[in-house]
Amino acid sequence: MSASGGTVRPTRFQISKLFGSQNIDLSFPNNCSIIVGPNGIGKSSVANILYFLISRQWRRLLDYKFSNLRLWFDDQVIEVERDEISGLSRISEIVASIPRSSRYADFIARLQKIGRLEEFLGELGKSPRNLRTWKDLAEPGASIDEFRHFVFSLERRINIDDHGLFSVPRRNIESKLDELIPGRTLYLPTYRRIEKDLQEISPAFGQRFREALGADGELKLTRSSKYYVDLVSFGMNDVRTRIDEITRTLRDFSLEKFSELSGHYLKDVIRGKADEFDHAQIRQLSDDAISEILGRVSERILSEDDKSLLKSRILRLRNGSPEELSPQDSYLAHYFSRLVVVNDEI
């Protein structure tokens, strides 16, 4: 990322009280950072929060619970208070601006009391999908038309998108980001992320999409704006195809090696070397290793009875002395030593 002052990049990122309790502090000493850990500890959440911050996607950022964020560019730091970008820091002003005698003040007070006011304000400016649910929470006795009028009046009062509740803190942060991160951020989220997003957009659409796409289909999606580009590939079909290709390659390789085994053994018989083997190689094999080696051999090559007989002979060879071996045992030991090599290659 280049700016007028030279090349800059994020060097440190902090999240305070992620999920209400966790403090995250990441340093980026190089151009590449890898975060590893068990499932469910929040790796994707941390990556998404960083991405939503630098791409100015405030509504998506507010889907996550945290106290504040700090992003360093060497000695410069951008600090984001959740209450500011969510508008909570100005809720008292909104409440104060509504006459106490107004029924609307009662709506606000009830939502604030049950801890749902922030969520309600986040819905403003969107299509009122859950209007009846919010009405029942704020005032079950109010009519839907009365509550709808309250919502529209509140939207006009705070002018959500351009002024008032959200815009000032967000514009200040955006101006700093514009200076430090010009251009757009390229983001390639995981399959799980996209499946989750599609489900949240419309569960019914997600189901219809899968049915229309069929088992073999795949869709490339792009979400973009002035500040970011999401490149995504919906579904797991390309992964499934790749796994199938690798599985076929492994199966073909295995069959090829067992075919080579037969050819090599035949050459050893012709050349009079079919009774030569490394006794130390067999002596170091455990019972489990012997079972694993024989288990890889297809029943088209050796039946289960043949494998059982061969295993018992090999165990006797492993525990015995080379001088005690019969010619037949030597041939079996030579064949099994070839199997050991094939197993290692597979």
Side-chain angles (χ1 to χ4, degrees):
M1 293 175 287
S2 298
S4 57
T7 301
V8 295
R9 59 179 177 80
T11 53
R12 186 181 180 188
F13 181 52
Q14 286 184 339
I15 307 175
S16 296
K17 295 186 179 180
L18 177 63
F19 309 130
S21 61
Q22 299 183 31
N23 294 321
I24 308 298
D25 192 342
L26 301 177
S27 295
F28 309 127
N30 301 303
N31 286 329
C32 176
S33 293
I34 301 174
I35 304 173
V36 298
N39 289 338
I41 65 170
K43 301 185 299 298
S44 296
S45 296
V46 171
N48 287 332
I49 289 172
L50 174 59
Y51 168 58
F52 294 149
L53 169 61
I54 63 178
S55 58
R56 295 74 148 173
Q57 298 185 67
W58 307 117
R59 290 194 185 278
R60 298 178 75 186
L61 180 61
L62 290 172
D63 286 340
Y64 294 87
K65 186 177 181 181
F66 59 88
S67 174
N68 60 63
L69 310 174
R70 294 182 181 88
L71 180 62
W72 275 266
F73 297 80
D74 294 328
D75 58 346
Q76 301 184 69
V77 61
I78 295 175
E79 187 164 356
V80 178
E81 295 289 337
R82 191 181 196 281
D83 285 357
E84 289 188 354
I85 62 172
S86 69
L88 277 183
S89 61
R90 299 190 57 204
I91 283 179
S92 59
E93 298 176 28
I94 297 173
V95 174
S97 69
I98 300 175
R100 291 184 178 275
S101 60
S102 169
R103 196 172 189 183
Y104 297 160
D106 294 335
F107 291 166
I108 289 286
R110 287 192 183 93
L111 290 172
Q112 194 170 24
K113 183 177 181 180
I114 63 175
R116 301 290 296 275
L117 183 56
E118 177 186 359
E119 183 182 352
F120 171 70
L121 293 174
E123 291 286 330
L124 294 181
K126 301 180 181 179
S127 298
R129 296 171 298 171
N130 304 315
L131 199 61
R132 188 172 297 278
T133 300
W134 285 117
K135 178 195 75 69
D136 292 341
L137 288 172
E139 178 52 85
S143 69
I144 192 67
D145 289 338
E146 184 180 12
F147 192 74
R148 182 180 289 108
H149 179 72
F150 159 65
V151 170
F152 293 156
S153 174
L154 189 59
E155 288 178 342
R156 289 195 301 271
R157 185 183 298 269
I158 60 178
N159 203 352
I160 291 296
D161 292 325
D162 299 317
H163 307 285
L165 186 62
F166 299 102
S167 63
V168 174
R170 292 180 180 181
R171 283 204 303 267
N172 291 338
I173 296 167
E174 288 175 359
S175 65
K176 295 178 183 178
L177 289 171
D178 287 344
E179 178 184 351
L180 294 168
I181 309 181
R184 293 194 292 180
T185 300
L186 182 65
Y187 188 53
L188 293 86
T190 64
Y191 287 99
R192 181 179 60 184
R193 173 76 247 168
I194 297 311
E195 297 249 13
K196 179 175 182 292
D197 278 355
L198 187 65
Q199 185 70 14
E200 288 177 351
I201 292 169
S202 170
F205 170 74
Q207 180 62 33
R208 291 198 302 272
F209 169 75
R210 290 181 179 87
E211 292 172 354
L213 203 56
D216 301 323
E218 182 181 358
L219 177 66
K220 302 290 183 182
L221 298 175
T222 300
R223 174 168 41 205
S224 64
S225 81
K226 175 182 177 182
Y227 299 115
Y228 64 90
V229 178
D230 285 2
L231 296 181
V232 305
S233 176
F234 179 79
M236 294 294 287
N237 290 307
D238 59 331
V239 178
R240 186 181 301 111
T241 298
R242 182 63 180 143
I243 291 174
D244 289 343
E245 290 175 356
I246 294 173
T247 302
R248 284 194 298 272
T249 299
L250 293 174
R251 182 175 62 249
D252 293 345
F253 179 81
S254 177
L255 293 173
E256 178 185 353
K257 288 300 173 181
F258 281 118
S259 296
E260 290 178 0
L261 169 66
S262 300
H264 289 313
Y265 187 72
L266 179 58
K267 289 180 181 178
D268 291 338
V269 171
I270 294 172
R271 296 169 182 173
K273 298 181 179 181
D275 58 350
E276 298 176 2
F277 67 95
D278 183 358
H279 192 264
Q281 178 194 45
I282 296 177
R283 187 179 293 277
Q284 67 184 6
L285 295 173
S286 66
D287 290 4
D288 289 341
I290 294 173
S291 296
E292 177 187 330
I293 293 168
L294 291 173
R296 289 188 184 275
V297 182
S298 169
E299 288 193 27
R300 290 180 296 176
I301 299 174
L302 290 177
S303 67
E304 288 300 322
D305 290 341
D306 290 335
K307 291 180 184 180
S308 178
L309 178 59
L310 180 55
K311 181 177 181 179
S312 65
R313 293 287 187 90
I314 295 303
L315 290 174
R316 188 173 67 185
L317 294 174
R318 183 192 64 183
N319 301 326
S321 168
E323 292 77 15
E324 301 173 355
L325 300 181
S326 67
Q328 183 182 16
D329 289 335
S330 296
Y331 285 121
L332 289 176
H334 176 84
Y335 179 79
F336 190 77
S337 67
R338 286 286 190 184
L339 279 179
V340 173
V341 174
V342 169
N343 181 75
D344 290 342
E345 291 176 339
I346 293 175

